[in-house]
């Protein structure tokens, strides 16, 4: 079984799979529920978790993925999404590693140059802000769910409307 409770049927060994519920269907894309994985619901730290509190304030998390042409999909169905492990690592690096590295490098460079703490902080904040540009560019280029591929559809129980 793959992370997130999905099976990895039809997926290679370096693929991450996740099952999500379809909320709406359009001609070329599906709108799916992209809330936190089921692991958050069972986590012992959930009552004090800042990520859960932020998610509650932001409303439902929605994601748009390309609609597969060969598969019949309707609202309420669950789809199995797959992402290559390398694409996941690249996205995680852009989102988490690059900003942290840019901040540390800028503050270390400011300290080595003998700048004041205020100047080092300002330089660090600037480097941190600029470090998100590659992530924004990659997201615009690939779309919000660029590397996500629908690999299976699990129809909702009951009659189709």
């Amino acid at each position: 079984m793959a992370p997130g409770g999905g099976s990895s049927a039809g997926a290679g060994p370096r693929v991450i799979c996740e099952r999500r519920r379809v909320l709406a269907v359009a001609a070329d894309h599906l709108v799916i529920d992209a809330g936190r994985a089921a692991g958050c619901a069972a986590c012992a730290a959930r009552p004090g978790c800042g990520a859960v509190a932020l998610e509650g304030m932001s409303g439902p998390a929605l994601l748009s993925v390309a609609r597969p042409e060969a598969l019949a999909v309707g609202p309420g169905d669950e789809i199995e999404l797959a992402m290559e492990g390398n694409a996941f690592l690249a996205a995680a690096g852009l989102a988490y590693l690059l900003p942290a590295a840019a901040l540390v490098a800028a503050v270390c460079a400011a300290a080595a140059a003998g700048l004041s703490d205020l100047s080092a902080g300002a330089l660090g904040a600037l480097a941190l802000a600029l470090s998100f540009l590659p992530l924004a560019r990659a997201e615009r280029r690939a779309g919000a769910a660029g590397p996500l591929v629908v690999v299976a559809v699990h129809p909702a129980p009951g009659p189709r409307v």
Side-chain angles (χ1 to χ4, degrees), residues 36-131:
R36 293 221 174 264
C40 286
C43 180
R46 182 174 175 81
C49 180
V52 171
L54 285 174
E55 182 182 9
M57 291 188 307
S58 67
L62 303 176
L63 185 63
S64 178
V65 296
R67 181 179 180 184
E69 293 179 23
L71 300 175
V73 183
D77 292 347
E78 286 191 350
I79 57 173
E80 193 167 327
L81 296 168
M83 174 187 275
E84 286 191 30
N86 290 341
F88 174 76
L89 289 175
L94 280 176
Y96 297 106
L97 184 60
L98 182 61
L103 175 65
V104 169
V107 171
C108 287
L115 297 178
S116 69
D117 289 346
L118 182 62
S119 297
L123 187 61
L126 178 64
L128 181 64
L130 291 175
S131 70

Side-chain angles (χ1 to χ4, degrees), residues 74-75 158-161:
R160 288 240 182 219
V161 178

